[in-house]
Amino acid sequence: MPTGRLPARPLLAGAALALAALVLLPPVEAQPPAPALFCEVYVDAPACAGGDVGCDTCHTSAPSLNPYGQDLSLHLLVGEERPLHEDLFSAGLGDALAAVEALDSDQDGYGNLAEIEAGSEPGDAASQPAPADCTDLDDQDEWDLCGYDPDYAYKKVMIDFCGRSPTLAERRAFEERSDPSDALHEALDLCLDTEHWRGRGGRVWNLANKKIGPLKAVKAGRDSGPIPLADYDDDYAYFVWTQTDGRDARLVLTGQTFVSAWDRGGVTVYEEWDRSPTQDYEQRGHDRYQAVEKERRAGLLTHRWFLMSNTMFTAVPRTTAAQAYRAFLGYDISRLQGLDPVADEPIDYDDKGVGAAGCIDCHSTLDPLTYPFSRYEGIGGGNPQAPSYSYDEDRMDWFVDTDGADVADTPEAGVIFGQPVEDLLEWAQVAANSEAFRRATVLDYWVMLLGEPPRGTEQGQYIALVDALADEHGHSVEAMLHDLVDTEAYGAP
Amino acid sequence: MRPDHLLLWALGLSTLLGPACKTADDPGTSAKARVMPKHGQVWGRDLATGLGLQEWELCQELGQLDCISDAHLITLGGVEPTTLGIDQPLANAAVSAPIAVDRVAMAACGERWERDLAGPAVIFGAVLEAKAGADRKKAREEVSSLLVQRLLARQATKDEVAALVDLYDALEDISEEPDRDWAIGACMMVATSTEALFY
């Protein structure tokens, strides 16, 4: 189960053969245990505060290696035939790590070991250890460069959440407050209610872009396109609703109601509603109604738009599961992330050849991840008597002509994070309660507010937020954000 | 865009954003060095607030397209996921971003000048009312300070005021309307400074 770890990517991927040949590096096969092994060696490294080191320790973008990864590759089991078996790789990595400690792979003037211990990246010349003694020579500027600066954090909160800089009068008023922390959080509370943050087209709304994948050409409802198939406004509204007003963010995967966004005098208002498919059909029409009965709903995963744009006409909707895994749990299987192979999988019920060498590594995770999605209709291709985008227990029977007789045997039960689940509702519960979900949720906002994933020295702050999201924050994004703006990562100039 | 505005733009960039803008002391270096661009809408909102304009009054390309929410939306860090498929801001600033920023700032500062000319003045009143000699220089100092206060939400340093005021000397012999060109140029320099665009 990959929870508790950063997305598992190989240290050295077989797909890098061509590149490796160019730079005379010995090719090595994918080695998923590398991030964990690294942190077994460098237990106290700041970058390991979250459990495993990030992929970018050795990679630029996997499978390509950065200078540190290249040095490691050159010193790893020299003379051994490639590709290396995982056991051999694991046994040899420690020596290779030791062998390159004294090198300065990225030639930034700091040795690899010094960088690892300081929390900077040994393979990135732009990442260097922070000066041991911080100096803030200029007392004319307004910032404290050596630590958390409430004035700086206030300005950043106003820009990030309110969508404007504070005025000179507001800054003076803040500086005069004897309780800057209280003042900061008061400002944040006000900003969390602005249109810039939570309105239609606001920051939270746009955070859902990659999860929803809107396409106006097939949009129904407001501003509909020429081929209206579904209305992604339902998805955006639902997403923002789960992220605001202290709601439990897990509802994005587990909720069984819907939300609409209304413009009330220039303010976006989100209203929860609950109608049966028949009621919604009568109220909103054939091109917009949500067709899944309440007892089969799993948040955005069973929204009409999600099923339309991902499942489409497929019997075993791997794309749908992969998108759910990527969008809400942070694992992109196409990048070999979150692989957690299930024994005897993939079975290849739909005769797509996924058991072939080169496919099996991903599909042994992806296919059992997909089965729980298989009873939800897409645009078509399943039971012609069942409405599109609805749940149909016998859906697979209708694909025999196109996908072979075995497709009817596709189970609804599947596996996520190594845990068997009976159906998509259980899948969603496991997903929503996972550390992967919390990591992905916090990471979304971290990247939004800081422009990049946590740096090595910031892993501890990031993990603290991830842990707190489940505990003291009760899965409230807004509560998490109150802690995020208190971190040094956010508030130190 | 008028040719003299182009000249003014070039002069502006070379003076305020150059060494003259720095304080005498080493300002220190951030250990984090994490600087983010303001989204175009945030920058535009700040600009509108600072100049006493509505956001939609800042700039219209061809007199029709709002510069920030439409014409230069993506260039200035916006997204348009539904038709263009741009679902997050560009990772790196587009090559046209500085041009877009300059066009917005020039249009907005020009609009402020014209409105102040018609009165009542919001920013450039001191320059418009100054008669001659020392009064005129003092007026430019006053406007310079006001621009920094309103656009950067802080007090201007002496060096910054001096750099802005000195622009007038460069314009005096080549501009037909040096007061106007100085006012718009000084406004542009502050509005397009690193501090105004990044945080």
Side-chain angles (χ1 to χ4, degrees), chain A residues 130-131 136-138 140-142 145 152 156 159-160 162-168 171-172 196 203 206 209-210 214-216 232 236 448-452 455 458 488-490 492-493, chain B residues 23-36 38-39 41-43 45-46 49 79-83 85-88 149-155 157 159 195-196 198-199:
Chain A
D136 189 4
L137 300 175
D138 179 19
Q140 292 187 39
D141 70 24
E142 55 218 293
L145 296 178
Y152 172 79
K156 193 164 160 52
I159 292 173
D160 285 333
C162 270
R164 66 175 179 84
S165 297
T167 63
L168 182 57
R171 291 182 69 177
R172 283 176 173 159
H196 173 79
R203 298 207 76 182
N206 280 319
N209 289 338
K210 276 194 169 301
L215 181 62
K216 189 174 181 181
Y232 48 71
Y236 276 106
M448 174 209 278
L449 299 169
L450 296 171
E452 59 182 353
R455 297 175 182 174
E458 295 164 348
E488 186 160 316
Y490 186 86
Chain B
T23 57
D25 296 327
D26 183 341
T29 303
S30 166
K32 291 198 315 179
R34 177 179 273 142
V35 178
M36 296 173 65
K38 287 181 187 172
H39 287 205
Q41 287 189 321
V42 174
W43 175 68
R45 200 166 290 140
D46 287 350
T49 302
V79 297
E80 209 303 279
T82 63
T83 54
I86 298 176
D87 51 26
Q88 54 187 352
Q149 285 176 20
R150 293 188 63 118
L151 293 172
L152 302 182
R154 64 171 174 80
Q155 299 295 349
T157 66
D159 289 342
E195 186 175 345
F198 296 86
Y199 71 110

Side-chain angles (χ1 to χ4, degrees), chain A residues 89-123:
Chain A
F89 172 88
S90 298
L93 183 60
D95 288 343
L97 289 168
V100 302
E101 284 181 347
L103 304 181
D104 177 11
S105 295
D106 56 8
Q107 299 184 353
D108 61 357
Y110 298 92
N112 293 337
L113 181 60
E115 293 222 52
I116 292 167
E117 290 177 344
S120 59
E121 296 289 351

Side-chain angles (χ1 to χ4, degrees), chain A residues 237-262:
Chain A
Y238 188 78
F239 178 79
V240 176
W241 181 80
T242 64
Q243 310 291 295
T244 52
D245 293 338
R247 293 188 184 87
D248 189 328
R250 292 175 297 180
L251 288 170
V252 78
L253 297 179
T254 62
Q256 295 189 310
T257 58
F258 298 98
V259 175
S260 290
W262 303 99

Side-chain angles (χ1 to χ4, degrees), chain A residues 89 100 160 207 212 226 254 267 276 285 290 350 358 365 387 444:
Chain A
F89 172 88
V100 302
D160 285 333
L207 193 60
I212 294 170
T254 62
V267 176
S276 69
Q290 297 287 349
D350 55 346
T365 297
D444 275 348

Side-chain angles (χ1 to χ4, degrees), chain A residues 226-300:
Chain A
I227 310 170
L229 295 177
D231 187 358
Y232 48 71
D233 280 359
D234 283 2
D235 301 60
Y236 276 106
Y238 188 78
F239 178 79
V240 176
W241 181 80
T242 64
Q243 310 291 295
T244 52
D245 293 338
R247 293 188 184 87
D248 189 328
R250 292 175 297 180
L251 288 170
V252 78
L253 297 179
T254 62
Q256 295 189 310
T257 58
F258 298 98
V259 175
S260 290
W262 303 99
D263 184 342
R264 300 271 164 77
V267 176
T268 308
V269 175
Y270 298 94
E271 287 184 353
E272 183 185 19
W273 54 269
D274 186 7
R275 294 189 285 271
S276 69
T278 302
Q279 291 170 327
D280 199 28
Y281 181 94
E282 290 172 352
Q283 181 159 333
R284 300 200 301 168
H286 71 283
D287 59 351
R288 293 183 67 201
Y289 84 101
Q290 297 287 349
V292 177
E293 296 285 353
K294 184 168 186 175
E295 63 271 18
R296 287 293 174 183
R297 295 174 191 161
L300 284 181

Side-chain angles (χ1 to χ4, degrees), chain B residues 14-29:
Chain B
S14 64
T15 48
L16 183 67
L17 301 183
C21 189
K22 292 184 177 178
T23 57
D25 296 327
D26 183 341
T29 303

Side-chain angles (χ1 to χ4, degrees), chain B residues 22-143:
Chain B
K22 292 184 177 178
T23 57
D25 296 327
D26 183 341
T29 303
S30 166
K32 291 198 315 179
R34 177 179 273 142
V35 178
M36 296 173 65
K38 287 181 187 172
H39 287 205
Q41 287 189 321
V42 174
W43 175 68
R45 200 166 290 140
D46 287 350
L47 188 58
T49 302
L51 296 181
L53 300 171
Q54 299 297 317
E55 290 175 47
W56 55 270
E57 293 173 328
L58 289 175
C59 172
Q60 300 271 323
E61 287 292 3
L62 305 175
Q64 294 180 331
L65 302 175
D66 186 272
C67 291
I68 290 176
S69 64
D70 196 344
H72 304 301
L73 173 67
I74 305 303
T75 302
L76 294 177
V79 297
E80 209 303 279
T82 63
T83 54
L84 299 179
I86 298 176
D87 51 26
Q88 54 187 352
L90 300 178
N92 298 301
V95 70
S96 58
I99 300 170
V101 164
D102 283 342
R103 289 185 65 81
V104 174
M106 180 172 289
C109 292
E111 179 68 17
R112 184 67 268 162
W113 171 262
E114 295 298 332
R115 291 191 184 205
D116 280 9
L117 202 58
V122 172
I123 291 179
F124 302 118
V127 168
L128 291 168
E129 292 166 8
K131 301 300 180 188
D135 282 352
R136 291 165 61 85
K137 184 173 183 185
K138 190 176 177 185
R140 288 192 287 276
E141 290 175 349
E142 187 178 324
V143 167

